[in-house]
Every structure is written in C-alpha cells, then in structure tokens.
Amino acid sequence: MQQLLKQTISAIVAHEDSDPILDCPASVLALLPDHPDPLIALAHSKLHTFPFDSVPVCWRRVYTDASIAKAVALIEHGLADFDGDDTCLQHKDRKRGRGADKNLANEKSGEAWVDEVVQVLDMAVIMAGAAGREGMIDDLLSALHDLTPPKASSQMKRQRLDQDCDSFPVGQQMQSSKVPKIQYPIQSATAPSMQVFETHMKTAQPLCIKEALTHWPAMHERPWSSPAYLLDKTLGGRRLIPVEIGRNYTDADWGQSIITFREFMQRYMTSDIADPTKVGYLAQHDLFSQIPSLRKDIAIPDYCYTSPPSSDLFSWGTARKPPPPQLEEPLLNAWFGPTGTVSPLHTDPYHNILCQVVGKKYIRLYSPDQTDKLYPKGIEGGGVDMSNTSEVDAEAAPEKLDADYPLFRHAEYVETVLAEGECLYIPVGWWHYVRSLSVSFSVSFWWN
C-alpha cells in the first residue's frame, strides 16, 4: 500500500506538456498535493458554474487530483493506527489484547477514515467523471478493499444484510406484485445468430432474446442476486451511488440523492416501502466505470456490434431532432431498484439491448408511428426539451386516460415480462414504458 501511495502522489504532481490540468492557473496547481481541501472547494464551484459538458477539463482534473491527494493523506493517517504489514486493517490496540468493548470502539472509529476515503474518491468519479484518473482511483479502492475486513456479522444481521442472505426475495415479491396479463406479446427468439438478428433488425421491430446471458458470471458464480456479493463489491457498501427518489422522473416530488450503497440497500431494497413516492432507484448510471470489478461480471452482447439499418426506418416522431453522434463502443448503464420502480413512457436516440440479470420487469413498447397518440411533452422550465417523454402514465386508470388523453387508448403496442437471463432489443425511436415487478437489476447497452 505504501508503495502505491507514493506512486500515486508522484503521478499527480508530474505533468506532461499536453496535460489539460496545465490550463488552470499555476497558483492553483502550486497547492497540489499538500492543500487539497481549498482546491476541492474551488473546483467544486467551477463545476457548478457551467453545464457539465462545458466545464473546462482542467477544473475537472483539479477536483479529481485534489481528491486523490486528500484520499492518500487520509489513508496514510489511517494506516498509522494499524499494524504496518499492509495485509489487514488490524488495530494496534486489538492486537495487544485489550478489552472487548475497547476493541469494538476502536474498530468502529477505525472504519471512519475508510468511509471518508471512499466518499472522497467516489465524489471525484461522480462529480468530475474522474477526468483521466479512473485507473488510479480504482487501484486505490481495490487496495483498500483488500485491506478492509468484512463488516461485523452481528451488525449485518441487525440490518438484514448478513452473509446468510443468499438472494433477493424475487419469487415472493412476484406473488404480491401486479403482473399484467400479456395480450400483445413481443416476438421472441432463442439465442439467434448474428445473421438472424441483423435480418430481424431490418423489420424495425423489437425482439425478446432468450438464453443470451448464460455465460455471464453475474448470473452464476458471481451472482448479482446476492446482497452479500454486491456489498462486498462495493467495499462493504461504502461506495457512493446517485439514487433517484420517487416513483418516476416526471412526478413533481421526484428528486435525486447521493448515498452509500449500504444505505440504499437498507432503505429501499430490504425493507417494505408503503409510499411509492419514496421509492429509490439507481437508474441510468454508468456503474461499471465507477466499479470496474462489476464490469467483469458481464459482457457486451455480440448483437451490439451488428450494423443497424438506415435511420430512415426509424424517423417517425424524431425527424426534428439531429442524430446523435456515432458511438465507438456501446454505452452501458445500470438499473437497480426495488419492486415498483417505473421508467415512464419515453424514447431513446440509440438502439438498445436491455439485459435482465435479477428479477422481472413489465415492458410495453409503442412504434414511432404511434407518436401522435402518445402526447409527447414539450419544452419545459429552464428550456429542457422533454419531447422524448410522454405525458401519459401508461398504466393509469382507464377512465383517467380516456378523460385526459382520449387518443391514447387507440395507440397500438406490444408487451412482455422480461425475465432473468433474457434480453430485449428496442429499436431506436420506439417508445417504452418499464415497471419492475420485483427487485430488479438490469443493464442497458446503447449503440448505433
């Protein structure tokens, strides 16, 4: 660990001529690495001065490098209270054999600096995108993971997140969930070949793909259905994640919060939530850049490397929008939440393979040629273009739908219950509504 810390500090103070951080004033850079807190505060203010895409890279790097410097200082200070073998965080007082109460207090206080290190580094990832330091941050967190013992089992059991909890209660939740009767099923195929899939894409129709994830470790030997496994991969649940709070992002009381993975699990995944407006959802988050070890549990479907047909096939309702940029690699996002999370009826600018790893989801799709019956939103407060989202709650009471959106009942759709191990191909421009029927963990792959 000590060698890694030295290498890390050396890397953040050695700047090549092309390093974008040099665009920031020299007086700012002079504070690295010894005075990280004022740099973090200054860079934080710059991050909120511009839209994220317009923030100068140098300020994102300042925020990231200052955060790394602070994390290194915290680790060095924390390790000073522990044995120096760099293999396990065993407190000196504990090794000397003092009383149990004293040991427990030391263990608890000893974990506080670990929590702070993780928070500082994760905020650099979430707030500044890690700005070219992704590998450096992952190396520090991986080394910290190897040094950190698991949470005490007694504490885990009190909070219903113990090692005996082998899997989420998906079957039990499905029995009590509102599962729609499928009337207009989506066409399906079992592990189609690349040629068969490319031929299907020319029809501009969705496709449910079965038995496509059997080789994913996330389905078997490294199961995402295990709370204990997910807690271990998030450094005992210490990792920070952005969570959407509320039934869906179109509701007036919808909000967002950054909390630890453990808090997310305790508050939303292992307790009954009577108020659907208080549902928490890890939605459309690039979790795999933040936690690369989870990325190793999955694989990009080969279908994402096919050549999509001409965009003219998908121009209904989206012709007024410029096409998105070409992607060199698919965009991956995680979707993890309890029963009842909803993605309202909307459309995306990319082809999508949605892969279901844990639980089940009800999904309803509308072709772009049904757009006139789906009541797209317009430009909302602050100039935000919401025209890719429908005003309609697709599963609202029929009488309300008829009164407020009389054309909606005439819109044609197809639907499915997407089960574990299945994928759904959603062509670009197709409207889709998604509701989880149980605890659910999905991965979306956008490509064009």
Side-chain angles (χ1 to χ4, degrees):
M1 175 63 89
Q2 294 294 346
Q3 183 64 25
L4 175 62
L5 298 181
K6 291 178 181 178
Q7 293 173 349
T8 300
I9 291 299
S10 296
I12 65 173
V13 298
H15 304 131
E16 297 181 358
D17 292 343
S18 59
D19 196 327
I21 200 172
L22 295 178
D23 293 334
C24 286
S27 58
V28 170
L29 302 184
L31 296 175
L32 275 173
D34 298 325
H35 305 283
D37 286 321
L39 284 180
I40 292 173
L42 176 61
H44 186 271
S45 68
K46 298 294 185 181
L47 294 179
H48 287 81
T49 302
F50 308 90
F52 184 80
D53 292 341
S54 302
V55 175
V57 177
C58 71
W59 289 113
R60 295 199 290 116
R61 271 292 299 281
V62 167
Y63 188 101
T64 301
D65 285 7
S67 297
I68 291 172
K70 180 174 182 176
V72 168
L74 287 168
I75 294 172
E76 289 177 336
H77 185 269
L79 290 177
D81 286 335
F82 290 83
D83 285 326
D85 61 359
D86 270 13
T87 59
C88 183
L89 294 183
Q90 185 177 9
H91 202 283
K92 291 177 180 177
D93 288 339
R94 189 178 183 89
K95 189 170 183 179
R96 293 190 190 104
R98 297 189 182 182
D101 292 340
K102 179 69 174 178
N103 291 338
L104 184 59
N106 284 332
E107 182 177 301
K108 183 176 181 180
S109 63
E111 290 182 353
W113 69 268
V114 178
D115 296 346
E116 187 175 2
V117 169
V118 174
Q119 178 179 339
V120 168
L121 292 176
D122 266 337
M123 288 301 290
V125 175
I126 295 171
M127 295 295 296
R133 302 298 198 190
E134 297 90 346
M136 190 180 294
I137 290 175
D138 186 54
D139 287 344
L140 288 170
L141 289 169
S142 296
L144 199 60
H145 177 276
D146 293 341
L147 287 176
T148 307
K151 295 280 188 178
S153 59
S154 59
Q155 180 187 15
M156 301 273 279
K157 290 178 180 178
R158 286 198 302 270
Q159 296 168 340
R160 300 172 63 188
L161 293 175
D162 58 286
Q163 300 290 341
D164 296 330
C165 186
D166 292 332
S167 61
F168 295 106
V170 171
Q172 176 182 346
Q173 292 171 341
M174 284 292 298
Q175 294 176 5
S176 60
S177 183
K178 178 185 175 184
V179 182
K181 180 181 179 181
I182 303 302
Q183 298 178 317
Y184 310 104
I186 296 172
Q187 181 180 346
S188 66
T190 299
S193 67
M194 296 281 280
Q195 182 178 1
V196 169
F197 181 74
E198 282 195 311
T199 300
H200 175 85
M201 288 182 71
K202 296 176 182 179
T203 69
Q205 296 292 314
L207 181 69
C208 186
I209 304 171
K210 301 180 182 297
E211 297 183 16
L213 308 180
T214 54
H215 61 294
W216 280 19
M219 302 292 301
H220 305 290
E221 62 266 31
R222 300 197 291 271
W224 289 6
S225 60
S226 167
Y229 177 75
L230 295 177
L231 285 166
D232 178 69
K233 301 304 285 186
T234 55
L235 226 163
R238 295 179 175 91
R239 301 298 301 269
L240 296 182
I241 54 172
V243 176
E244 297 182 358
I245 310 298
R247 183 173 175 270
N248 69 64
Y249 65 77
T250 62
D251 290 350
D253 58 356
W254 177 88
Q256 293 176 295
S257 180
I258 296 176
I259 60 177
T260 67
F261 191 85
R262 172 171 286 273
E263 183 179 357
F264 173 71
M265 293 278 281
Q266 291 169 346
R267 186 181 300 177
Y268 302 109
M269 304 300 292
T270 59
S271 60
D272 297 328
I273 302 173
D275 185 354
T277 66
K278 303 303 181 183
V279 169
Y281 195 14
L282 173 64
Q284 197 171 334
H285 177 51
D286 188 3
L287 185 66
F288 312 108
S289 291
Q290 183 185 358
I291 308 177
S293 59
L294 283 175
R295 173 67 180 81
K296 297 175 183 177
D297 295 345
I298 61 175
I300 297 175
D302 291 342
Y303 307 120
C304 295
Y305 294 105
T306 55
S307 299
S310 169
S311 59
D312 292 342
L313 288 172
F314 308 99
S315 60
W316 302 293
T318 58
R320 63 185 181 278
K321 296 183 179 181
Q326 285 292 119
L327 299 174
E328 294 184 2
E329 288 289 327
L331 296 177
L332 281 64
N333 280 298
W335 308 77
F336 181 42
T339 306
T341 57
V342 170
S343 293
L345 190 60
H346 69 286
T347 183
D348 296 318
Y350 299 100
H351 296 271
N352 184 8
I353 297 282
L354 180 64
C355 300
Q356 192 66 17
V357 185
V358 179
K360 294 185 178 182
K361 283 182 169 176
Y362 170 68
I363 305 176
R364 186 187 295 185
L365 301 177
Y366 295 82
S367 169
D369 62 7
Q370 302 296 303
T371 297
D372 291 342
K373 304 182 186 72
L374 302 182
Y375 300 87
K377 293 174 177 284
I379 305 298
E380 298 195 347
V384 178
D385 184 358
M386 293 289 289
S387 59
N388 73 322
T389 303
S390 170
E391 295 181 5
V392 182
D393 180 350
E395 290 191 285
E399 56 271 17
K400 178 174 176 55
L401 291 175
D402 289 343
D404 297 341
Y405 309 103
L407 295 178
F408 182 71
R409 67 154 45 209
H410 302 292
E412 298 177 356
Y413 64 88
V414 290
E415 58 189 342
T416 191
V417 171
L418 195 66
E420 291 181 4
E422 296 181 347
C423 304
L424 178 63
Y425 165 58
I426 304 175
V428 61
W430 274 68
W431 295 82
H432 43 291
Y433 167 86
V434 185
R435 176 170 60 87
S436 61
L437 302 176
S438 66
V439 165
S440 172
F441 206 146
S442 316
V443 183
S444 61
F445 298 83
W446 284 2
W447 92 102
N448 61 2

